[in-house]
Amino acid sequence: CDNCPFASNPGQEDADGDEFFILLEGRVEIRKRLADGSEEPIAILEAGSVFGESCIMDHRKRSSSAVAVAPTILSTIRKVEFESYLKAGKLSAYKVLENFLRIVSDRLRKMNDLVGSLVILLEDHKEATKVISPKLADITKRIYKQAHG
C-alpha cells in the first residue's frame, strides 16, 4: 500500500528489495544479522527517515532488516514507479534522489572517520594483540552502526 500502518517487518535482510520506504509516523529499528544468527540493532529511525533505498540504487539484496518498534505509518515507493517518475522528469523523484545522495554522503563520511579511528587504534596497539581483538569487534560494530544509522 502507498500509506500503510505496519506492525512487523517491511524489509528482511538478504531479501530482494523492489521498494523503499518513507517513515511518516512512528519508529523503525534497523537490525543487522550477526554470524551466530542473532540480530543487532544498528539504528533507530524516526518520522521523516528513508530506508530500503540501497536496493533501489544498487540492485542488490537488502543489507539489514527493518522492524517497527512503535505504531508506524510508511509511504512505500516501488522501484518501477520511482524509475518511471525519474524518466518522466518529475521533480519529486529528483528530490528523493537528492535525499538518497545526502544519505550516502553522510554514511561515507562517518565510515571515513571510523576507519581513521581504527587505523590510529591499530598503530597504538601493535604489540597488544590480546587487547586488539575485543576492540576490533567493538569498532567493527560501531563502524557498521555509524554507516547505516
Side-chain angles (χ1 to χ4, degrees), residues 38-57:
S38 65
E39 288 187 335
E40 178 76 21
I42 58 172
I44 296 284
L45 304 179
E46 304 285 339
S49 298
V50 175
F51 62 98
E53 75 287 346
S54 295
C55 296
I56 302 300
M57 297 291 108

Side-chain angles (χ1 to χ4, degrees), residues 31 40 42 72 82 106-107 110 120 136 139 145:
R31 299 176 182 175
E40 178 76 21
I42 58 172
T72 299
F82 182 64
D106 185 52
R107 288 178 185 165
K110 287 177 182 177
I120 291 168
L136 278 177
I139 289 171
K145 284 180 183 181

Side-chain angles (χ1 to χ4, degrees), residues 70-149:
T72 299
I73 297 177
L74 298 175
S75 179
T76 303
I77 302 174
R78 289 164 188 78
K79 180 180 179 178
V80 173
E81 295 167 350
F82 182 64
E83 288 174 344
S84 70
Y85 295 154
L86 280 173
K87 287 178 185 171
K90 300 238 181 210
L91 182 60
S92 59
Y94 287 101
K95 290 289 187 183
V96 170
L97 195 56
E98 182 181 20
N99 191 37
F100 287 175
L101 290 173
R102 277 196 201 104
I103 292 167
V104 170
S105 177
D106 185 52
R107 288 178 185 165
L108 183 58
R109 286 179 184 274
K110 287 177 182 177
M111 284 295 284
N112 286 341
D113 292 344
L114 289 168
V115 168
S117 297
L118 177 60
V119 168
I120 291 168
L121 178 68
L122 289 174
E123 285 297 317
D124 289 346
H125 294 93
K126 280 184 180 176
E127 304 299 320
T129 57
K130 290 181 183 175
V131 174
I132 290 175
S133 293
K135 287 190 180 224
L136 278 177
D138 181 54
I139 289 171
T140 302
K141 272 188 188 177
R142 283 188 15 229
I143 288 172
Y144 195 86
K145 284 180 183 181
Q146 290 293 323
H148 293 84

Side-chain angles (χ1 to χ4, degrees), residues 9-17 19 21 28-34 38-45 50-55 58 60-67 107 144-145 147-149:
N9 187 334
Q12 286 284 339
E13 185 172 350
D14 294 325
D16 291 329
E19 61 202 3
F21 308 93
V28 169
E29 184 175 82
I30 305 299
R31 299 176 182 175
K32 182 71 181 158
R33 190 176 316 114
L34 303 177
S38 65
E39 288 187 335
E40 178 76 21
I42 58 172
I44 296 284
L45 304 179
V50 175
F51 62 98
E53 75 287 346
S54 295
C55 296
D58 65 13
R60 294 169 64 186
K61 295 189 181 288
R62 297 203 184 278
S63 62
S64 56
S65 297
V67 178
R107 288 178 185 165
Y144 195 86
K145 284 180 183 181
H148 293 84

